Amino acid sequence: GISGNTIVNGEAITHHHHYHNNFLNSLPSSKIGAIQELLEGIADMEDKILPIPTDITPYDVMKKVSHNSLRNYSMYYDQYMDFRNIIVARLDFLSSNGQPTIKNKILNTVKRIYMHICAVESNNDTIVLKICEKIEKGLPSNLTIDDISYVPAVVFYVFSECHIFEKPFQLQP
């Protein structure tokens, strides 16, 4: 469930100038709360904390979407990027408020599920769908339908952070 205003810190979000301010200001605080509940729920699915190798090679997320032929991501790209920004802000907030390992737990959970599904499935859009279904099945039962509705946005976030699917090939200068 959502505990209302206590977990929503509007200040933490509005100071990020690169965010789409109009989008965020029009977003009801309950949505931000729902996303936060979901992030915490997914993090709870991962019991061990493994260090995550960070891939810092710059790349264009849209090019990665095309490279992997992800139709859903390309059709709703702007919405996914908006949600990605909220997720980044929430993870920063949670990391600096008593949950320093939350981002790694989420990346690990989604990556582990992705690797299992890739072993049996080759269509990328189906892989995304199955990752979402598997996460939804594993979530704690106290999450609302609204909380759970953001699972695809969290999977996109992990995709954009380069932990699942191939990156487009980099051309060396």
Side-chain angles (χ1 to χ4, degrees):
I2 297 165
S3 50
N5 300 345
T6 53
I7 56 167
V8 176
N9 178 349
E11 286 302 301
I13 292 167
T14 48
H15 290 310
H16 295 277
H17 297 296
H18 59 280
Y19 292 104
H20 304 257
N21 283 333
N22 299 344
F23 175 78
L24 281 177
N25 293 339
S26 67
L27 200 68
S29 59
S30 65
K31 266 198 179 24
I32 296 168
I35 288 172
Q36 180 164 321
E37 292 284 321
L38 175 64
L39 292 170
E40 292 176 313
I42 294 173
D44 287 345
M45 294 167 71
E46 188 64 39
D47 48 357
K48 54 196 174 302
I49 302 148
L50 304 165
I52 289 254
T54 42
D55 181 348
I56 49 161
T57 323
Y59 78 102
D60 179 327
V61 177
M62 189 66 209
K63 282 193 180 121
K64 186 177 174 186
V65 169
S66 308
H67 178 74
N68 289 284
S69 311
L70 289 159
R71 284 215 337 262
N72 193 340
Y73 285 174
S74 93
M75 281 165 47
Y76 301 105
Y77 184 73
D78 291 340
Q79 290 98 309
Y80 275 116
M81 286 303 282
D82 284 335
F83 281 119
R84 178 191 186 282
N85 292 337
I86 296 166
I87 289 165
V88 167
R90 282 292 92 192
L91 287 174
D92 288 348
F93 173 80
L94 292 166
S95 294
S96 52
N97 286 279
Q99 299 190 52
T101 59
I102 190 163
K103 180 179 173 182
N104 274 9
K105 285 178 170 181
I106 288 168
L107 296 174
N108 279 325
T109 300
V110 177
K111 189 172 188 172
R112 181 170 41 82
I113 293 168
Y114 166 76
M115 285 163 34
H116 282 273
I117 292 170
C118 281
V120 293
E121 181 59 62
S122 58
N123 177 287
N124 286 351
D125 282 315
T126 307
I127 291 170
V128 169
L129 191 69
K130 289 189 172 181
I131 293 170
C132 293
E133 287 171 355
K134 184 118 172 108
I135 290 171
E136 287 166 13
K137 286 191 182 103
L139 286 169
S141 57
N142 65 320
L143 293 183
T144 66
I145 303 278
D146 194 41
D147 298 342
I148 294 168
S149 70
Y150 296 105
V151 166
V154 175
V155 173
F156 177 83
Y157 159 76
V158 176
F159 167 85
S160 73
E161 289 288 298
C162 248
H163 290 280
I164 57 174
F165 292 101
E166 267 183 15
K167 243 187 183 176
F169 300 107
Q170 300 296 316
L171 294 171
Q172 295 307 317

